[in-house]
Amino acid sequence: MDIMRGIAMLLVVLQHTMSGCTVGAENTFVFNIAWSLQMPLFILISGYVTKYSRPISDGKGLWKYVKRRTVAYMLPWAVWSFLVRGIIFGEDSFLNVKHLLWNMDSGYWFLATIWTISMIFGVASFVAERASKENLLKKQIVLLGCYLAGMVLLVGIGVILGLSFFAIKLTLYYMPFYYAGFLYGQFDDRMKESETGKKMIDSVVAICFVMWLFVILRFPLYEMSDGGFAIILRAATSLAGCIAVCGLCRGIFSSKIGGGYSCMGRRALVGSVSHALSASQLDQVGQSADSVQSGGAGPGSGQLCDYGSTYCDGNSDDEPKCRAELCINRKEKVREFFLWAGKRSLEIYMIHGLLLNIFKSDVVVQFSSIEGYLLTAGNFALTVGLCAVVIRLLDQNAVLKKVLNIR
């Protein structure tokens, strides 16, 4: 999930780079890809990972849930809006509370949206757990009913205060994505256990991929009006795209190559899923990895590779092995890059807006030109690189990490 979160975060940076340093990017195929995936993918993943959360069975558990989510989402929103953007960088609009609350999309609206969705989902989960602990179907029906009731409540608040208040309009749009992620998380393990389930997943991924490509090649989703048809088309296209990308990337970044485990090994596996496994499960993973490493198996049989020792002496017998190991090495580096972006997605989200589009042109540059592509690529790489540097520097100071919510 961290890899998918990293892909989504990098798409956010790419879209902001494209629209900030060039003109005419909004109606291009690349922009359609980024815009249709970035935030829907984030929300979908957020719903999916609720499968790892403990059930909220009493009032104390609900209070802990609310407090934890508020600290995780709204504290960074307040610190980075008022302290960083408002006071340090002198952006007056971030110090105007009324303007900020009714224009959340000018700042860190995503944190307000995910907090609101989490609150509604948490209350719905609590009510469902209290209504039925044993009957899974009844629990799901109650949870969905409470979730829909939360959406209705938001609509009522939006009618009174305006849909722009606290990003209500955006929250309502993304709430179905959160629930879709949650729903899939309830059944994916069982589906993957059977061959029929795996074939069904592959079929759905293929269909969604074709549907997604069909739409983004024909419709400028970002520039469409906010009519009913446009909203449904955007949501359906984004959902199809998220399903397709998650399904395809699962194969690309899978820890298996051929018949055995790749050289990604124990460290990458434990680092990417430790939040989801118990201590005993992690011990089992570690023991199995150690047993593979000590088994002395040959190439491709599952041995953990030492990339630093990969060496080709020009012998034709060694060349296929060297090529395979170098390929796996490159794949792991790409995987680690996305993994880093996923684990640091909150920090990148907060920081990147301050570092966008440092390279500028004296003339207007069309995105669909050589100059536009080069300017976008340069700014994108520089922004991501500077984010990494700033995060690394902030990591060195305990006070700054605490105040700025650097994990």
Side-chain angles (χ1 to χ4, degrees), residues 28 48 51 77-78 86 89 96 102 107 120 145 165 171 182 230 232 242 246 252 265 322 326 332 351 386 391:
T28 62
Y48 177 84
K51 66 182 288 185
W77 176 82
F89 282 86
N96 186 332
W102 267 268
I120 294 174
F165 174 73
T171 302
F182 156 76
I232 294 173
C242 290
C246 288
I252 294 174
C322 291
L326 288 172
E332 187 189 12
I351 295 170
L386 288 175
I391 292 170

Side-chain angles (χ1 to χ4, degrees), residues 13-316:
V13 178
L14 176 61
Q15 183 210 312
H16 290 166
T17 303
M18 291 169 62
S19 58
C21 69
T22 63
V23 297
E26 289 78 5
N27 57 4
T28 62
F29 176 64
V30 177
F31 193 92
N32 251 3
I33 292 176
W35 191 85
S36 65
L37 292 177
Q38 45 165 356
M39 287 308 175
L41 191 54
F42 260 120
I43 302 292
L44 197 74
I45 293 170
S46 298
Y48 177 84
V49 297
T50 57
K51 66 182 288 185
Y52 304 121
S53 301
R54 295 177 180 176
I56 306 174
S57 56
D58 54 29
K60 185 178 179 181
L62 180 62
W63 167 244
K64 286 183 178 179
Y65 174 89
V66 170
K67 184 170 64 173
R68 188 165 56 247
R69 293 298 189 276
T70 301
V71 170
Y73 299 134
M74 294 312 296
L75 182 59
W77 176 82
V79 169
W80 282 84
S81 294
F82 297 113
L83 176 62
V84 178
R85 301 293 290 270
I87 296 176
I88 297 178
F89 282 86
E91 299 181 39
D92 294 337
S93 61
F94 282 88
L95 295 176
N96 186 332
V97 177
K98 183 177 180 180
H99 177 271
L100 193 59
L101 290 178
W102 267 268
N103 296 274
M104 295 290 291
D105 55 351
S106 65
Y108 303 110
W109 66 268
F110 172 76
L111 294 176
T113 288
I114 195 64
W115 177 82
T116 304
I117 296 175
S118 297
M119 293 301 101
I120 294 174
F121 181 82
V123 173
S125 299
F126 170 70
V127 174
E129 191 70 23
R130 300 283 289 184
S132 177
K133 292 186 178 181
E134 304 298 332
N135 191 323
L136 179 61
L137 179 60
K138 182 180 178 182
K139 186 191 296 185
Q140 294 295 334
I141 293 174
V142 173
L143 191 150
L144 178 58
C146 293
Y147 195 73
L148 293 174
M151 294 183 72
V152 173
L153 177 62
L154 282 183
V155 171
I157 296 174
V159 170
I160 297 172
L161 299 177
L163 290 175
S164 62
F165 174 73
F166 210 67
I168 287 178
K169 180 180 176 181
L170 291 167
T171 302
L172 289 170
Y173 178 79
Y174 288 111
M175 283 185 74
F177 291 95
Y178 191 94
Y179 185 78
F182 156 76
L183 199 61
Y184 178 65
Q186 302 301 299
F187 303 103
D188 69 323
D189 290 335
R190 275 172 279 183
M191 293 180 68
K192 292 173 184 176
E193 289 174 357
S194 67
E195 289 300 321
T196 303
K198 292 177 182 177
K199 290 179 181 178
M200 188 180 300
I201 291 175
D202 286 342
S203 299
V204 171
V205 168
I207 293 170
C208 287
F209 182 66
V210 172
M211 289 175 56
W212 177 60
L213 278 181
F214 180 86
V215 175
I216 64 175
L217 284 169
R218 288 165 175 78
F219 298 94
L221 296 176
Y222 179 79
E223 295 188 335
M224 293 178 70
S225 64
D226 287 337
F229 171 76
I231 292 174
I232 294 173
L233 181 64
R234 285 171 178 163
T237 303
S238 293
L239 183 59
C242 290
I243 293 172
V245 170
C246 288
L248 295 173
C249 288
R250 181 192 63 194
I252 294 174
F253 295 108
S254 173
S255 60
K256 287 189 177 182
I257 302 242
Y261 288 95
S262 77
C263 301
M264 293 174 187
R266 179 179 180 179
R267 178 181 57 79
L269 176 64
V270 174
S272 62
V273 299
S274 59
H275 66 282
L277 299 178
S278 65
S280 61
Q281 288 173 307
L282 286 175
D283 288 340
Q284 293 173 6
V285 171
Q287 291 168 5
S288 63
D290 290 338
S291 64
V292 171
Q293 189 176 24
S294 61
S301 64
Q303 183 178 6
L304 295 177
C305 300
D306 179 8
Y307 294 129
S309 65
T310 301
Y311 172 72
C312 294
D313 60 2
N315 191 318
S316 60

